[in-house]
Amino acid sequence: MPPSTGLANAVLTGLVTGSIVALGAIGLALVYNIAEVPNFAHGELLMLGAYMALFVNKPDTVPVFKELVTASRTLDALGLAVLFVLAAGSALAAVYLLGGTPALKGSWWPGDPSPALALGVHALAATVLGVGVTLGFPSIWAGLLLSALMLAWIAPFLEKVVFQKFRAKDASLATMLIVTLGLSFVLRFGTQAFYGGQVRTYVVPQVGNVFGYDVGLSAAKFFDFYVTGGGLTMHVIDTGPTPDEAMFTATYSWVALLGLVALTLGAAFAVYRWRSGGAEGYGTSHTVGPKLSGAVAGVVTFTALVFLLAGGGSVPNSSALSTRIRISVMRASVIFIAVGMMASLHFLLQETKLGKAMRASSDNIDLAKITGINTDRVMMATWIIAGAFAAVGGVMLGVLFSQLTVNMGFFLLLPMFAGVILGGLQSVYGAILGSYIVGLSMDVGIYAIPNIGSTYRIPIAFAILFVVLLVKPEGITGGS
C-alpha cells in the first residue's frame, strides 16, 4: 500500500501558496510604503492579470477579440498583429508613464544618454517582447508575458488618473482607503460586464519538451519516502503515463544522511563566515549578504549531495515511517518564478539608482524630494513593479486552481494584507517572509487540525497573525 501525504506535503503546498501570496503582497507593500496607498484594489489587479493572459492562451473566449480567431485557439494575421501591438505598445506605455516623451528618450537612464540611442533601445526591446508574445502564442507562458506587460502600464495609469488626483488634494488615509475600495468594485464588475460571470480556465499543456525529452507538466509526481532500520529510501513515481511509471529509486544509509546534513551545514556556515568577514569579505550591505549567501550555498550543496550520495535500491516491504509528497512541474514552477522575481527585485532595490531612490522615498518621501530625487518617477516605477508582480501572481493563481473568476483576487486580498502586516508594514522583505508564513499556516493548519475543511484556511492564517502581533505588534521584521 503506497504511503499517504503528510506534514511534508502540507509544507510544500504551503510554500506554493505562500509564493502566490508573496507576489501580490510585494506590490501591496511597495505601494503602501512609497505611494501611501492602502490599495484594496490590489486583488483586482491580480484578477485583471489572470484575465489578460486569455488574449494569448484562449483568445476565442475574449469578447470582441474572438472575432479574429479563425479556428479553436488559432489567430489570423490581423489577430497576431493585434497581439504584437498589445505587447510592444504596453512596454512603451510603461516607459512613457515614467516621465512622458523624455522618459522614452532616456531621461530615466543613469547618466546622460543620447535620445536617439534611448529611443532605439526602447523600440528594440518593445519589438523583441512583441515578437516573443506572438511567437509563443497560444502558450500560457506567452500569456504570462503579455499579462505582465499589460499590468505594467495599467497599474501606473490608475495611479496617474485616480490616486495622484486625491494625493494632490491631501486626501486622508481613510479617504484613500475608500477610493481603493470603490476602484476595486469598478474593476471587478467592469471585468464581469466585459467577460461575463462564467468560470474560465487556461489550456495548460500536459507534456512539454525539455532538451529533447518529454516531461509531464501537469501530471503529479509522487515522492515517496520510507524510513527503515538501514536508512531512507526515496521512490519517485510519474502519474503522467498509464499506468503510473516509476522514475527512479534511491537509498541513503544513515551514515550518508549524516554526512549530507553535516556537509550542507558546513558549506552554509563557511560561506556565511566568508561573506561576513569584514574587509576580507563582502559584508552585509552588499546585494548578496552573509545570510542569503549561506542559504544559497546550503541549498546548492544539499541538492548536489542528494544525487552524489544516492545508492541503488528498491521499495522496502515494510518501514517504520513513510510519507508522500505530491508535486507537479507546474506547481514547482510557481515557486521558481516567484523566487526569481524576488531575486530580481532584491537586485533592483540594492544595486540600482532607481532602487536606492525607492528606498529613500520609502523612508521619507519629503526628504527624498528635497535631495533631488524625482519622486513622481519613483512612484510610477513602484506601480509598474506592483502591476507586473500582480499579473504574474494572478496567472499563477489561475494555473494552480484551474479556474478564473472575477472574485479570485478579492479572495486573496486578505492573505496578502495578512502577509504584509505580519512581516512588518514598512518592509518589503517582511512582506515576503510574512506571506510565506501565511501560506504555510493555511496549508499546514488544515493538515494539523483534523476534521476541518479548506474553508478555515484563511481564519487559521489570521489566528497566527493575531498571536504574532500580540507578541510583536510592529511585525516580525519590525519594519526594518
Side-chain angles (χ1 to χ4, degrees):
M1 182 177 179
S4 59
T5 56
L7 177 61
N9 187 72
V11 169
L12 183 60
T13 304
L15 291 176
V16 175
T17 303
S19 296
I20 294 179
V21 174
L23 287 171
I26 286 171
L28 200 62
L30 282 173
V31 167
Y32 179 79
N33 287 329
I34 297 176
E36 297 182 343
V37 176
N39 190 13
F40 275 78
H42 198 74
E44 275 59 47
L45 293 182
L46 271 79
M47 178 270 297
L48 278 178
Y51 274 81
M52 290 299 173
L54 291 172
F55 276 85
V56 177
N57 189 246
K58 292 182 73 172
D60 53 322
T61 66
V62 180
V64 182
F65 190 64
K66 65 182 179 181
E67 302 302 327
L68 303 175
V69 178
T70 57
S72 178
R73 303 183 71 225
T74 303
L75 286 174
D76 57 19
L78 179 58
L80 292 173
V82 170
L83 276 185
F84 174 84
V85 171
L86 282 175
S90 295
L92 293 175
V95 175
Y96 180 84
L97 287 169
L98 284 173
T101 303
L104 290 172
K105 293 181 179 180
S107 64
W108 66 282
W109 289 20
D112 188 20
S114 166
L117 174 63
L119 282 171
V121 170
H122 289 147
L124 178 62
T127 301
V128 170
L129 292 170
V131 170
V133 169
T134 53
L135 290 180
F137 173 87
S139 165
I140 185 61
W141 306 115
L144 177 67
L145 176 58
L146 177 66
S147 177
L149 291 171
M150 293 282 286
L151 266 293
W153 74 263
I154 290 176
F157 180 75
L158 294 174
E159 153 68 17
K160 195 171 188 67
V161 300
V162 180
F163 301 120
Q164 199 173 82
K165 307 297 183 184
F166 283 90
R167 194 181 298 107
K169 297 180 179 180
D170 294 326
S172 66
L173 190 64
T175 300
M176 296 296 282
L177 189 151
I178 298 299
V179 169
T180 62
L181 280 174
L183 180 61
S184 72
F185 285 109
V186 171
L187 294 176
R188 190 187 318 164
F189 293 108
T191 302
Q192 181 172 316
F194 182 74
Y195 281 96
Q198 66 269 34
V199 176
R200 298 172 183 269
T201 59
Y202 293 133
V203 176
V204 179
Q206 297 298 312
V207 178
N209 190 276
V210 180
F211 301 114
Y213 295 93
D214 289 336
V215 177
L217 301 180
S218 300
K221 307 291 188 297
F222 292 144
F223 288 77
D224 294 342
F225 295 90
Y226 302 88
V227 178
T228 65
L232 175 71
T233 298
M234 178 174 65
H235 183 56
V236 183
I237 303 172
D238 186 0
T239 63
T242 303
D244 295 349
E245 182 179 289
M247 297 179 66
F248 66 90
T249 304
T251 300
Y252 304 89
S253 66
W254 290 115
V255 174
L257 288 175
L258 182 62
L260 187 151
V261 172
L263 290 172
T264 298
L265 294 177
F269 182 72
V271 173
Y272 171 82
R273 288 295 301 270
W274 169 64
R275 295 290 274 181
S276 58
E280 298 179 357
Y282 285 91
T284 57
S285 63
H286 282 65
T287 304
V288 184
K291 294 180 181 178
L292 182 58
S293 298
V296 171
V299 170
V300 172
T301 303
F302 179 84
T303 304
L305 290 175
V306 163
F307 291 97
L308 291 175
L309 298 179
S314 59
V315 177
N317 295 324
S318 61
S319 60
L321 178 67
S322 64
T323 189
R324 164 172 285 181
I325 295 178
R326 183 181 185 275
I327 190 66
S328 67
V329 174
M330 294 300 293
R331 288 168 64 86
S333 67
V334 174
I335 298 177
F336 289 118
I337 289 173
V339 170
M341 294 188 68
M342 292 171 197
S344 300
L345 177 64
H346 176 66
F347 178 82
L348 183 146
L349 290 175
Q350 300 296 329
E351 291 297 329
T352 67
K353 184 178 179 180
L354 173 61
K356 294 173 183 178
M358 290 174 67
R359 287 189 285 134
S361 299
S362 175
D363 288 339
N364 190 321
I365 193 166
D366 293 325
L367 182 59
K369 188 180 298 185
I370 292 173
T371 56
I373 293 176
N374 189 332
T375 54
D376 290 336
R377 183 181 300 159
V378 168
M379 282 193 183
M380 284 298 168
T382 299
W383 281 95
I384 289 172
I385 295 170
F389 271 74
V392 174
V395 174
M396 290 291 97
L397 185 63
V399 169
L400 188 62
F401 291 101
S402 302
Q403 64 177 22
L404 279 69
T405 68
V406 294
N407 294 317
M408 60 188 295
F410 175 75
F411 291 143
L412 197 65
L413 185 64
L414 287 179
M416 286 191 297
F417 266 106
V420 172
I421 295 171
L422 183 63
L425 280 171
Q426 302 300 319
S427 172
V428 174
Y429 300 103
I432 295 173
L433 177 61
S435 297
Y436 277 104
I437 293 175
V438 166
L440 287 168
S441 64
M442 289 165 65
D443 288 301
V444 174
I446 60 175
Y447 164 79
I449 305 176
N451 303 322
I452 66 170
S454 59
T455 307
Y456 294 91
R457 294 171 80 238
I458 294 180
I460 290 173
F462 273 86
I464 300 296
L465 172 65
F466 293 150
V467 171
V468 172
L469 293 184
L470 284 173
V471 178
K472 200 171 184 183
E474 67 276 18
I476 295 175
T477 63
S480 59

